[in-house]
Amino acid sequence: GGFRGTGDYSLSTIKTITKNFFSLSSSQILCRAINFVVVIYLARILGVENFGKISFGQAFLVYTTLLANCGLLDFGVREIARNKNQHSFIVNNIFSLRVILAVVAYCVLIFVVLIAKMPTETNCIVLLYGISVFPFALSVEWILRGIEKMEYIAISNVLHRVIFLCLIFLYVKSSYNVYLIPLFWLCAEIVWTIFLYLALIKENIKVQFQINISAWKKIIRQALPMGFSFFMIQVYYYFDTI
């Protein structure tokens, strides 16, 4: 009987891993295909200069989200996976920390824009893209990863890209519409975040903002090494664009 129980558990684990693998891999392929179509369309419509501004704004957004992350996502996934039945403490504190860091990150972005002396149009695009750091910080995708509910993540990622694609195709018809692109990205991010919250409610997990300075210090100390390694990877990919 004991052997059979172990076998059942192994089969269940294999089934979960297989389902999660195919959910994420299929959504990733589809999202990359949509991104490819969007890039081709925008490059054709916007022209070299405006397409460059969009790429510049996206690169700034990457660094802004890195500051709002600080390794908290990977740390949170690991801790939730370790303590599936007692994760409210880590969930609430990481969620709260990310909200605070998002505010700090956007303030830093505004400061950088003010001292960088870039063209006004570029400043606007960078700041508009930067607003997306807030739905990113409010996102609960990392919680769903921790409890191994990858199907929700797969659906939300595809939904995000489809909404963005549809808005681009419907409303971006010339280079004069360049300001709409970061706003459409923000809209897609908001829908993505709402969908993930609905998935979390379905799983009976609640998230609330709470202030716990001592816990925040401990979490930051443990998460920073992960955040630094990921930061260096993103520097490698996006530093040339900046």
Side-chain angles (χ1 to χ4, degrees):
F3 178 79
R4 183 177 299 173
T6 305
D8 291 343
Y9 175 78
S10 299
L11 288 174
S12 174
T13 303
I14 292 171
K15 184 178 179 181
T16 300
I17 292 172
T18 304
K19 181 185 72 173
N20 289 338
F21 172 78
F22 280 108
S23 295
L24 290 179
S25 58
S26 58
S27 71
Q28 200 168 50
I29 291 170
L30 188 54
C31 287
R32 288 181 181 274
I34 294 173
N35 287 343
F36 181 71
V37 173
V38 169
V39 167
I40 291 175
Y41 180 80
L42 290 179
R44 181 180 178 183
I45 296 296
L46 298 179
V48 175
E49 183 178 354
N50 285 317
F51 186 76
K53 291 175 183 176
I54 291 299
S55 300
F56 189 68
Q58 289 172 342
F60 259 97
L61 175 59
V62 168
Y63 287 115
T64 308
T65 54
L66 283 174
L67 182 56
N69 182 9
C70 287
L72 293 172
L73 294 182
D74 295 329
F75 175 75
V77 171
R78 187 188 73 182
E79 293 303 306
I80 291 171
R82 284 178 174 177
N83 308 283
K84 284 189 172 64
N85 298 322
Q86 297 177 338
H87 49 56
S88 59
F89 175 81
I90 194 71
V91 163
N92 291 334
N93 278 289
I94 289 181
F95 173 80
S96 306
L97 255 177
R98 294 187 71 213
V99 172
I100 298 296
L101 288 174
V103 175
V104 173
Y106 195 73
C107 290
V108 170
L109 179 64
I110 293 173
F111 177 74
V112 170
V113 167
L114 289 175
I115 67 172
K117 297 180 180 179
M118 297 181 294
T120 303
E121 188 177 48
T122 304
N123 287 342
C124 290
I125 291 173
V126 169
L127 291 175
L128 287 173
Y129 261 116
I131 299 173
S132 293
V133 73
F134 295 109
F136 168 80
L138 293 170
S139 167
V140 292
E141 180 187 25
W142 56 281
I143 303 174
L144 294 168
R145 286 186 183 275
I147 62 174
E148 299 176 17
K149 295 295 181 179
M150 306 302 184
E151 64 272 18
Y152 296 126
I153 298 171
I155 295 171
S156 68
N157 288 341
V158 173
L159 180 65
H160 180 291
R161 296 308 192 278
V162 169
I163 290 173
F164 185 59
L165 175 71
C166 292
L167 290 172
I168 292 294
F169 276 5
L170 286 173
Y171 297 105
V172 179
K173 301 298 183 181
S174 72
S175 60
Y176 296 107
N177 303 131
V178 66
Y179 293 108
L180 294 177
I181 297 168
L183 292 177
F184 290 160
W185 182 262
L186 176 62
C187 291
E189 289 271 307
I190 292 171
V191 173
W192 170 69
T193 302
I194 291 172
F195 179 88
L196 292 172
Y197 269 104
L198 294 175
L200 207 63
I201 292 172
K202 187 177 180 181
E203 295 297 322
N204 295 317
I205 297 176
K206 296 181 180 179
V207 180
Q208 61 183 11
F209 186 88
Q210 64 181 36
I211 299 175
N212 189 332
I213 304 298
S214 60
W216 290 1
K217 290 179 180 178
K218 184 178 179 180
I219 290 170
I220 286 289
R221 280 198 301 268
Q222 295 182 65
L224 269 179
M226 301 180 190
F228 181 74
S229 62
F230 191 68
F231 175 78
M232 295 308 296
I233 292 171
Q234 297 307 311
V235 166
Y236 176 79
Y237 281 110
Y238 289 98
F239 187 73
D240 56 337
T241 305
I242 298 294

